[in-house]
Amino acid sequence: MLAHLVPRLTSRVEDAATEVLAFILNRSAACRGALDRLLHAEDFKVAPISRVETQVSDDKDSRPDMIGYACDGCKPLVVEAKFWAHLQKDQAVRYLRLLDGPGVLLFIAPASRIETLWWEIRHQVECEEDGLQTRHQKPAHIAESVDRLECLESQEGTRRARVAHRDSDRHLLLVSWTGLLDILECADPGMAADIQQLRGLAQRQDEEAFLPIHPKELGPEFPRRLPWLWRLVDDAVSRGVGKKWMTTEGLAVGQGRGHYGRYFAISDKDGVMDGFLFLCVDFDLWATGDTPLWLRIKNNVPPGYKHLKSKIPSLMEESTWPDYYDMPIYLRTDVEYDRVLDDLVRQIKQVADIAVSSTPFPRSP
């Protein structure tokens, strides 16, 4: 529910996620204890967190997402919750200065952002030590670690570094949303429902994020491939129409932002079946599955979802389109075009054969 509602109600999704996390931590002593254990490292411990507060401003206009307080009121924890907002100038350095004595500056981010964000966090601290201001270009003279910053061994999926600060140590810690929520849920199963809500919001933000571009993604392979995928759709429907088990009469090409496809209905010697189907290249479905081609089936196409699902396990009940369910079309690889097309038509024909063989009532004329 959070994943659905929060982005519709506010653009400050990170603030909303932080509020939910604070609610969980303040409500559950077991979750706070699990957080304490995450903050600790070998020969490094901080005062136990007794409560957390969000959006606390200091005299210098620093306002971290969350601060964790010990029983005596000191601040051993500062939290910055990230999805895909950029790291502000000197943010890591400013927030480190908010800690009282030994403490941890904790960043939470999507798992797919761990490497790039960790480099930025470290770079800010290292540049502060060397009097540098550049954020995005790593100077050649900055070593893998400097006296101020020492990277430490950490648990899988996290990054940790020790920051020397006068007579006390402070740690930088970066953990994924998934990793943190796994730890909290194991600590207090009674909070599972609330944690699952936050997990859903975090996963939605991770799925819809702009991921760093890899050089190989900018090559010509994808734009060369796309027209062939459209051709597969057209040729498969043309073959079905030619064999007379498919009809496109009264149905149009469907195309829009992120998809291209052809509508058709199933037919045989007795007539045309109720409902229609849509064979398409769909970028949104491609992003969540392993194939660019999908068969979207109107939910009034006989014999219905349950019967089709028993015959075709890959059929998905939910669809981003109302009143449809989706079937992935897996394309053959390392073979010529005709063999790819043959197998594509076979998969669609399988749906048509099931519908024809299990529909006892009359079809449309």
Side-chain angles (χ1 to χ4, degrees):
M1 186 177 294
L2 281 180
H4 174 73
L5 289 178
V6 169
R8 292 172 177 264
L9 298 177
T10 178
S11 60
R12 304 177 69 88
V13 178
E14 291 171 345
D15 290 348
T18 304
E19 293 293 340
V20 178
L21 179 60
F23 170 81
I24 292 169
L25 292 172
N26 283 328
R27 190 171 182 179
S28 171
C31 287
R32 293 196 302 274
L35 178 62
D36 288 336
R37 293 188 290 275
L38 175 66
L39 301 180
H40 295 168
E42 187 176 355
D43 299 326
F44 175 79
K45 289 187 175 10
V46 297
I49 304 301
S50 63
R51 63 184 175 88
V52 298
E53 292 185 10
T54 60
Q55 309 300 328
V56 179
S57 299
D58 73 343
D59 296 336
K60 298 179 181 179
D61 290 331
S62 288
R63 192 179 68 174
D65 289 330
M66 185 189 300
I67 289 181
Y69 294 90
C71 290
D72 61 2
C74 72
K75 298 177 287 189
L77 174 65
V78 173
V79 178
E80 180 64 15
K82 293 288 189 188
F83 287 124
W84 294 96
H86 70 276
L87 196 65
Q88 298 173 13
K89 182 179 179 181
D90 302 325
Q91 191 171 28
V93 176
R94 288 186 285 111
Y95 287 2
L96 277 168
R97 292 171 181 162
L98 298 177
L99 293 167
D100 294 332
V104 176
L105 171 55
L106 172 65
F107 286 86
I108 312 168
S112 53
R113 197 184 177 189
I114 292 291
E115 292 299 332
T116 54
L117 183 60
W118 183 235
W119 183 87
E120 283 200 76
I121 294 167
R122 289 181 53 197
H123 186 52
Q124 282 195 359
V125 177
E126 290 167 344
C127 287
E128 172 71 10
E129 175 68 8
D130 288 303
L132 300 170
Q133 300 301 319
T134 303
R135 291 182 65 244
H136 297 297
Q137 182 176 358
K138 187 171 183 178
H141 72 277
I142 293 183
E144 188 64 23
S145 63
V146 295
D147 290 341
R148 180 180 174 86
L149 187 67
E150 176 190 0
C151 289
L152 303 174
E153 193 172 331
S154 55
Q155 301 174 19
E156 183 178 356
T158 67
R159 301 290 183 273
R160 182 186 288 267
R162 171 183 172 272
V163 184
H165 180 79
R166 300 189 183 94
D167 57 349
S168 66
D169 284 346
R170 295 178 178 180
H171 280 206
L172 290 170
L173 181 60
L174 174 60
V175 62
S176 70
W177 281 100
T178 299
L180 176 62
L181 297 178
D182 285 346
I183 290 171
L184 299 184
E185 189 169 359
C186 287
D188 189 349
M191 296 296 294
D194 297 305
I195 293 171
Q196 285 297 328
Q197 288 286 335
L198 181 52
R199 190 190 300 276
L201 177 60
Q203 287 176 344
R204 173 68 62 87
Q205 292 302 305
D206 203 0
E207 290 168 0
E208 297 179 352
F210 175 84
L211 300 178
I213 299 174
H214 297 288
K216 65 180 181 181
E217 295 176 324
L218 301 178
E221 292 82 2
F222 178 76
R224 289 176 179 172
R225 182 71 64 192
L226 197 54
W228 283 99
L229 294 174
W230 294 335
R231 179 179 168 182
L232 273 171
V233 170
D234 291 336
D235 288 352
V237 173
S238 295
R239 182 176 292 187
V241 171
K243 296 289 187 179
K244 301 188 184 304
W245 57 268
M246 188 186 291
T247 179
T248 57
E249 185 175 353
L251 301 174
V253 172
Q255 55 188 332
R257 183 177 177 180
H259 71 270
Y260 170 83
R262 298 286 300 274
Y263 289 97
F264 67 91
I266 299 169
S267 62
D268 70 353
K269 59 183 176 59
D270 295 324
V272 179
M273 285 198 166
D274 292 332
F276 49 83
L277 304 89
F278 184 60
L279 178 64
C280 62
V281 178
D282 190 294
F283 287 2
D284 290 335
L285 290 172
W286 193 355
T288 61
D290 298 319
T291 178
L293 259 64
W294 293 76
L295 185 62
R296 309 195 99 141
I297 306 172
K298 187 77 172 175
N299 61 9
N300 64 340
V301 171
Y305 173 77
K306 289 185 177 180
H307 187 84
L308 280 176
K309 180 69 172 177
S310 68
K311 304 287 186 179
I312 308 172
S314 63
L315 197 66
M316 300 167 61
E317 181 174 9
E318 295 184 357
S319 174
T320 54
W321 288 15
D323 303 323
Y324 281 82
Y325 35 90
D326 299 326
M327 172 184 163
I329 302 291
Y330 296 106
L331 301 179
R332 291 193 62 182
T333 58
D334 300 320
V335 295
E336 297 293 332
Y337 178 83
D338 286 345
R339 289 178 178 263
V340 177
L341 178 59
D342 289 344
D343 192 64
L344 166 59
V345 173
R346 178 194 61 79
Q347 293 182 63
I348 304 170
K349 186 65 163 59
Q350 180 184 13
V351 176
D353 289 344
I354 294 170
V356 169
S357 65
S358 57
T359 306
F361 46 84
R363 296 89 184 249
S364 302

